[in-house]
Amino acid sequence: VTCQDAQDLFSALVDEVIEPGLRRELQTHLSGCPGCRRELEAFQKTLRALGALLPLRAPAGFVDRVLRAAGHEPWHRRLLRRLFVPVRVKVPLEAVALLLVAVGAVYVAQRSPELRRAARQEAPSTPASPEDKVGLSERQKTVERPLPPAVESARQRAASGGKEDDDKGAGQLRKQARLEGAAPQKPPPGEAALPGKAETTETARSDVALPGPAPTGRDEERMRAPAQGSVSRDRREAAAPPAVREPALRALESAGREAEVGSRAAVAAKARPAADVAGRLRVENRPRAETLLAELVRRLGGEEAAGGRRAGEDKLEIVVSGGRYGDLVEGLARIGTWTVEREPAPVPAQVRVSIRIVE
Amino acid sequence: VGSEHHDEASGLVERLRRGEPAAYEELVIGYQHRVFGMAMRMLGNPADAEEVAQEVFVRVHRSIADFRGDAKLSTWLYAIASRVCLSRLGSRGATRGAAGEDALARVAAPQANPGEALERSELETALLDAIAALPDERRIVVVLRDLEGLDYREIAEALGLPLNTVRSRLHRARMDLKDKLERFLP
């Protein structure tokens, strides 16, 4: 046995898998070879050092991770893990996804008038949609859609010019609109802040004589200062809570917006309610005639109609009871030459008279 | 390997074949440190070692029905672990060497006195470096024999090698280690 042969048997010797004959030959060689004995000693120390290495331990949670990977995990833990783990990645991603969905929903709602209308009718507590961002053409589309029956009937009554109907119909209209489940709606932001637009809207409201829950006092004030009245009313309504606003009123606002297309003067002329009686009063002195006319109206218990007179116009409208209409005609004849251009027969209970004063 | 009797006594293999979740969990708990330790010695990187160990147990779960019981359960486990480790080493050349886990194990080792601790630390470091420097096919034999305690026949079964090949590879690996450690040995 050479030294190389002897060293090749070291593993077999240490592991005790060496044949007995080879073992004897190896021991004979080792007894006479100090170099191989040193080699064997180093070999054994190496194996002892290997055996002295501490066993490594799997990291904490390893078993759980293995069970998860193998599918041995309760369904609720799997669900939670799939939803949120890793938290640093999935939670921000989910937040971004939610934000995108919300933004997308708002965008779609803004671009879809049908959805917006449905939201108004079905979700009263929904925050007002930013209608001010929608273009005028979009609003006009809204106007073109069929109105609720109550609003439609009110418009028809207004078109027929019935003041009495309007006064009664205002309350009924509101009740009817509520019964139909129409939800209150905030005014479109920014609308009341525009004076011109506010005036037009006001005109459209008076078109169907919807003076509000307690109309008389306010309307009297407005008759005294029409321009100021229209603006202040818009301010009041803009500041009012959403619940005060009626869907019918909204529809009428839309009708008012329709009128924005034309010139304001044309709109004013067009939007004014048709008077029951219209005529021309030729006078010598206009200021005096107006004074006399005002006194006449007061004596007859009438009043100047809401929105009946506009700055710079020579026409005013008054409202008197049907029973005092004859007295009005006589009084007008005393002030000047009264020429009737339109007169219904019989006159209604409340007569709206349009008087154009000509010198 | 020492837990083989326990496996047989508790009927673990039969329960695993029946697909009992508790049996699989028992298997993972019982073998987690050995499989992880082997992967760690082979790959030298805790993250890779955990990944490989996890893959080993997942493969065990998938193929437990194929386990015929001719070999010991531990041998079958080591066979799977060896294939996964060698496959990983062959595919990407895993980072090897004395890694943090080994350093942690060395630090945690109880020492009689500071001098002995320093001496042992140097020896261990040299030993781990020497193991890491072995060729993969030799290193795995040393790991299975001298660290995990498998006998020659089990190693041959696990690696699918002839017994003589196992013997020669093991002996060469040990001699390599001796040559590298000689100057650190007392």
Side-chain angles (χ1 to χ4, degrees):
Chain A
V1 176
T2 63
C3 288
Q4 185 61 49
D5 293 337
Q7 290 177 16
D8 285 345
L9 292 172
F10 282 176
S11 283
L13 179 69
V14 171
D15 291 331
E16 297 180 347
V17 291
I18 190 171
E19 292 175 9
L22 284 175
R23 184 188 190 97
R24 278 194 299 274
E25 288 182 28
L26 177 60
Q27 285 174 342
T28 304
H29 177 81
L30 288 172
S31 61
C33 181
C36 283
R37 280 202 302 274
R38 281 197 303 274
E39 286 295 314
L40 178 60
E41 191 179 350
F43 188 84
Q44 288 172 325
K45 283 180 179 174
T46 301
L47 295 191
R48 278 198 293 274
L50 273 172
L53 283 177
L54 289 174
L56 297 176
R57 296 183 65 81
F62 176 75
V63 174
D64 289 337
R65 290 192 285 277
V66 169
L67 294 180
R68 277 201 303 269
H72 277 268
E73 192 181 22
W75 66 268
H76 56 275
R77 285 176 65 186
R78 281 203 304 273
L79 179 66
L80 284 175
R81 185 170 47 79
R82 284 177 187 169
L83 282 176
F84 298 115
V85 175
V87 175
R88 287 183 182 175
V89 175
K90 284 192 178 174
V91 169
L93 276 179
E94 286 160 356
V96 169
L98 274 176
L99 187 65
L100 286 176
V101 168
V103 169
V106 170
Y107 180 81
V108 169
Q110 283 182 345
R111 298 292 171 191
S112 307
E114 292 81 7
L115 281 177
R116 212 165 54 232
R117 191 175 57 176
R120 281 177 189 156
Q121 291 176 349
E122 292 171 9
S125 60
T126 303
S129 59
E131 284 187 2
D132 52 339
K133 294 179 182 174
V134 182
L136 179 61
S137 59
E138 203 64 46
R139 296 181 184 178
Q140 285 170 342
K141 283 180 192 171
T142 309
V143 168
E144 286 164 9
R145 284 193 301 279
L147 292 170
V151 179
E152 191 58 46
S153 61
R155 291 190 70 177
Q156 287 170 358
R157 282 196 299 273
S160 68
K163 174 75 170 74
E164 183 182 2
D165 286 351
D166 289 342
D167 289 341
K168 291 178 183 173
Q172 289 175 352
L173 176 64
R174 291 168 188 281
K175 286 180 187 171
Q176 213 171 336
R178 285 192 194 105
L179 287 173
E180 285 173 8
Q185 170 73 18
K186 249 178 138 177
E191 187 175 325
L194 298 171
K197 192 181 284 188
E199 188 179 347
T200 311
T201 305
E202 182 64 33
T203 308
R205 284 180 194 137
S206 64
D207 191 8
V208 290
L210 271 179
T216 314
R218 287 191 199 171
D219 286 350
E220 282 177 357
E221 288 174 15
R222 199 168 55 228
M223 284 170 69
R224 292 187 191 107
Q228 186 184 353
S230 64
V231 172
S232 64
R233 174 169 173 174
D234 269 333
R235 283 179 183 161
R236 281 197 304 273
E237 289 184 358
V244 176
R245 307 297 302 271
E246 307 289 334
L249 206 55
R250 277 201 319 276
L252 297 173
E253 287 172 1
S254 299
R257 285 193 217 95
E258 213 173 8
E260 291 175 9
V261 179
S263 70
R264 287 178 56 189
V267 168
K270 183 182 172 184
R272 189 174 297 166
D276 301 305
V277 177
R280 188 175 68 247
L281 181 64
R282 185 173 294 279
V283 297
E284 297 291 332
N285 186 329
R286 181 196 297 267
R288 176 173 168 72
E290 285 182 355
T291 306
L292 291 172
L293 184 56
E295 189 180 333
L296 173 64
V297 170
R298 184 174 48 78
R299 199 172 63 243
L300 296 178
E303 60 183 11
E304 189 169 349
R309 187 170 190 179
R310 301 196 179 280
E313 289 188 10
D314 59 352
K315 190 166 70 176
L316 60 84
E317 289 185 1
I318 59 172
V319 178
V320 294
S321 66
R324 307 302 298 272
Y325 177 68
D327 297 335
L328 175 69
V329 172
E330 286 179 13
L332 289 171
R334 282 196 294 274
I335 295 171
T337 306
W338 170 244
T339 307
V340 176
E341 296 171 347
R342 184 175 70 243
E343 187 177 57
V347 293
Q350 286 286 322
V351 188
R352 188 181 184 103
V353 182
S354 172
I355 302 169
R356 186 150 56 88
I357 301 172
V358 181
E359 278 188 300
Chain B
V1 184
S3 64
E4 206 65 40
H5 292 297
H6 171 72
D7 293 346
E8 290 170 4
S10 63
L12 181 62
V13 175
E14 281 307 311
R15 289 164 56 217
L16 282 169
R17 283 178 177 162
R18 286 200 298 269
E20 285 184 19
Y24 179 72
E25 189 172 350
E26 197 176 313
L27 171 82
V28 177
I29 291 171
Y31 286 92
Q32 58 171 329
H33 301 305
R34 273 179 280 178
V35 172
F36 174 79
M38 176 192 167
M40 184 64 200
R41 299 299 185 202
M42 287 302 297
L43 303 169
N45 178 302
D48 288 342
E50 178 172 351
E51 197 176 323
V52 162
Q54 190 169 311
E55 188 179 342
V56 168
F57 283 113
V58 170
R59 286 194 188 191
V60 166
H61 181 260
R62 285 182 195 150
S63 54
I64 189 66
D66 300 333
F67 178 59
R68 295 188 303 272
D70 298 338
K72 289 179 184 174
L73 181 61
S74 60
T75 306
W76 183 61
L77 256 171
Y78 280 119
I80 294 173
S82 301
R83 281 197 295 274
V84 176
C85 284
L86 291 174
S87 170
R88 174 65 63 98
L89 286 167
S91 63
R92 64 116 178 88
T95 308
R96 291 177 290 176
E101 189 73 17
D102 289 321
L104 190 65
R106 286 195 297 275
V107 169
Q111 309 296 341
N113 59 66
E116 185 185 339
L118 181 63
E119 189 178 289
R120 181 167 180 169
S121 178
E122 282 182 351
L123 178 62
E124 278 189 12
T125 303
L127 180 57
L128 293 170
D129 289 346
I131 292 173
L134 287 172
D136 297 341
E137 70 276 5
R138 292 185 190 178
R139 186 165 69 255
I140 196 163
V141 178
V142 164
V143 168
L144 290 176
R145 172 65 193 144
D146 292 326
L147 299 180
E148 300 301 325
L150 275 67
D151 62 30
Y152 286 36
R153 186 182 52 79
E154 287 171 339
I155 296 170
E157 279 182 18
L159 299 180
L161 295 172
L163 203 56
N164 283 337
T165 305
V166 172
R167 279 179 184 158
S168 64
R169 286 186 183 178
L170 177 64
H171 183 68
R172 284 177 196 158
R174 284 171 166 174
M175 293 301 281
D176 285 348
L177 295 178
K178 176 191 73 74
D179 292 342
K180 289 181 178 172
L181 289 180
E182 216 154 11
R183 65 191 180 93
F184 296 100
L185 294 171

